[in-house]
Amino acid sequence: PYGSTQCPSVVSLDPDGNVIVGEPARRRLLTQPERTIYSVKRLMGRGLADVQGELKLFPFRLDASSGNVIRVRLGERVFTPPEISAFILRELKHWAEGHFGEKVDRAVITVPAYFNDAQRQATKDAGKLAGLEVLRLVNEPTAAALAYGLHEERRGKVAVYDLGGGTFDISVLKLISTSEGDIYQVLSTNGDTHLGGDDIDNLLQAFAHEQILQQDQVDFSPHGEVAQELRKALIAIKHELSEKDFALLRFPLPNGRLFEHQFTRGVFEALILPVVERTMGPVKQALTDAQLKPTEMDEVVLVGGATRTPLIRRTVQEFFGRTPHTELNPDEVVALGAAVQANILDRGVQNMLLLDVTPLSLGIETYGGAVAKIIPRNSTIPASAQELYTTGVDNQTGIDIHVLQGERELARD
């Protein structure tokens, strides 16, 4: 309905209580930042302690009642992250109903591969609140490989590098053709649910704030109206630098002066290098887990809008020693894969098998607060395992089993 296949993940509450989603809400980030929220995915399934780092960078106004469950304040009302996410899903449901001219009540939803169980559960809750039966959650890189495998009819080992707005994922898959059909097997996955294109925007914004402070002695907090206006201008500069070597920012300051700065691609790349380098840690770990070398990959696929950045394309190309694939629109390839999976579930397609893995190890807390891993990360799911344990003292009649997810050695971590 808005001339675009994408709905920005922005939600705004107007003063008379109506909820606005998508592009119209994004425009309100400039005029009513205290009633508007973006990047809520970063808060899904997390507690207050988990998001302290985000709060410095995002205009999240958390309610005082937040504890294990975060509550976000928009104007006079308070919402949980799944409730905000549900507004976005409900909007997409309306789009789909408008397109097909019939009721839509079932969905396949994609999530970052590195989402833990709480984050996945929060996503399912959002779907339920939006009036959707969530048939399956599919990992985003896996969905991209599904779409890509069908599109290119390629086989072999594929690395999917997925840098979205708020999250980073890398998955290593093997696409096999058999007489029975195609098998998509995930060998390993890794990532960082705290790393994404937003971090690139934050670096640009911090750089511009510093320049303005030095040149014009104007200091503005990153949450004000002017700051959102500046962020929008900087995102346009970022897009321009993907195409050209230079981009000029002209920005009117509150004191009536005009801030001008000529950005070069070189300076931009030096600025964002730390973010790009942070993505390579999980990439190396995923290959180690899959017991493969970069040169053994047959294909590399880029997913997510941030991968349009030339520096990211170059870095990935140098690491794997091959040109990454970008034929499919990086913003849409995951949704295409979700549609393929929905078709498999809906029609009972027999000739495609999807074997995914659990991204994080599962174990239980044992004596002394240590974690005993029972199902290691990157195990093909569904998976089951058995271990035999004894009780801590004689004649013990009961036991509490504390199930944990993650790679740390101690339960408290």
Side-chain angles (χ1 to χ4, degrees):
Y2 303 110
S4 163
T5 53
Q6 284 174 280
C7 175
S9 306
V10 186
V11 174
S12 188
L13 183 78
D14 72 11
D16 49 18
N18 292 330
V19 174
I20 294 149
V21 177
E23 198 49 63
R26 177 147 62 180
R27 294 196 285 273
R28 289 174 177 241
L29 266 175
L30 307 176
T31 55
Q32 304 183 345
E34 69 299 329
R35 300 182 154 276
T36 310
I37 183 170
Y38 63 96
S39 285
V40 73
K41 192 173 184 174
R42 290 193 168 212
L43 301 181
M44 294 287 273
R46 311 186 77 112
L48 203 48
D50 304 328
V51 296
Q52 288 310 313
E54 312 306 64
L55 299 180
K56 293 196 275 294
L57 302 169
F58 290 94
F60 292 141
R61 277 159 297 279
L62 300 194
D63 195 66
S65 67
S66 296
N68 284 345
V69 176
I70 290 174
R71 298 179 191 285
V72 181
R73 182 164 281 287
L74 292 188
E76 317 54 61
R77 289 175 62 192
V78 173
F79 299 97
T80 62
E83 286 172 330
I84 290 170
S85 196
F87 291 130
I88 300 166
L89 291 172
R90 201 172 292 136
E91 178 75 2
L92 293 175
K93 173 173 145 73
H94 292 324
W95 284 23
E97 288 175 339
H99 178 79
F100 291 115
E102 56 185 276
K103 198 165 165 348
V104 172
D105 49 20
R106 296 185 300 159
V108 170
I109 300 181
T110 61
V111 289
Y114 220 55
F115 256 22
N116 64 28
D117 192 62
Q119 291 167 303
R120 287 167 196 266
Q121 200 49 57
T123 307
K124 278 189 168 162
D125 294 343
K128 204 174 280 163
L129 287 170
L132 293 165
E133 181 195 346
V134 181
L135 296 180
R136 181 77 49 97
L137 292 181
V138 183
N139 288 333
E140 280 154 14
T142 312
L146 269 178
Y148 169 78
L150 284 182
H151 167 71
E152 286 286 315
E153 299 192 342
R154 294 291 168 92
R155 297 297 170 255
K157 298 183 192 74
V158 180
V160 181
Y161 177 105
D162 176 356
L163 188 61
T167 53
F168 171 67
D169 274 325
I170 171 80
S171 288
V172 177
L173 298 97
K174 202 154 114 192
L175 307 187
I176 315 157
S177 282
T178 67
S179 54
E180 304 283 299
D182 294 340
I183 300 172
Y184 289 75
Q185 183 183 5
V186 180
L187 302 177
S188 70
T189 193
N190 211 297
D192 187 335
T193 53
H194 268 243
L195 182 64
D198 292 337
D199 295 291
I200 291 176
D201 301 344
N202 292 339
L203 286 172
L204 264 176
Q205 201 167 0
F207 174 78
H209 282 195
E210 190 53 40
Q211 294 287 327
I212 292 171
L213 188 58
Q214 282 173 10
Q215 288 178 30
D216 299 277
Q217 281 78 49
V218 176
D219 185 12
F220 40 88
S221 97
H223 300 347
E225 237 164 81
V226 189
Q228 288 302 334
E229 201 68 76
L230 177 64
R231 189 181 183 93
K232 196 175 174 187
L234 288 167
I235 290 170
I237 294 281
K238 172 181 78 169
H239 293 165
E240 212 175 313
L241 288 172
S242 287
E243 309 295 324
K244 301 191 210 128
D245 291 332
F246 299 97
L248 179 66
L249 174 70
R250 306 187 62 190
F251 188 75
L253 295 169
N255 63 4
R257 306 211 350 227
L258 187 69
F259 170 72
E260 285 197 329
H261 188 84
Q262 171 91 315
F263 282 89
T264 65
R265 187 182 280 183
V267 168
F268 172 65
E269 291 185 345
L271 194 62
I272 68 166
L273 192 61
V275 170
V276 180
E277 284 179 341
R278 265 179 69 195
T279 65
M280 296 318 285
V283 171
K284 289 170 186 156
Q285 186 61 57
L287 284 168
T288 305
D289 288 350
Q291 296 172 341
L292 291 169
K293 294 187 196 67
T295 48
E296 292 179 80
M297 302 313 292
D298 299 303
E299 309 286 348
V300 182
V301 181
L302 295 181
V303 181
T307 59
R308 290 192 173 93
T309 312
L311 174 65
I312 290 174
R313 295 194 168 180
R314 259 198 337 270
T315 307
V316 172
Q317 183 166 344
E318 281 161 18
F319 180 78
F320 287 103
R322 59 179 56 253
T323 309
H325 279 278
T326 52
E327 302 90 317
L328 294 174
N329 177 336
D331 293 315
E332 295 176 2
V333 58
V334 168
L336 273 167
V340 172
Q341 177 65 24
N343 188 42
I344 294 172
L345 295 174
D346 190 46
R347 304 238 168 107
V349 175
Q350 298 294 320
N351 62 353
M352 277 179 79
L353 180 62
L354 185 53
L355 299 172
D356 218 330
V357 298
T358 172
L360 298 152
S361 303
L362 289 159
I364 64 169
E365 180 174 356
T366 56
Y367 201 67
V371 177
K373 289 180 185 158
I374 297 178
I375 294 181
R377 68 169 185 263
N378 297 318
S379 301
T380 299
I381 45 178
S384 62
Q386 290 175 329
E387 287 284 344
L388 193 61
Y389 292 97
T390 59
T391 51
V393 294
D394 290 341
N395 303 323
Q396 192 172 329
T397 57
I399 181 170
D400 276 337
I401 298 178
H402 184 195
V403 180
L404 297 148
Q405 187 173 33
E407 306 312 314
R408 306 292 286 274
E409 300 302 322
L410 296 174
R412 65 160 192 266
D413 298 329

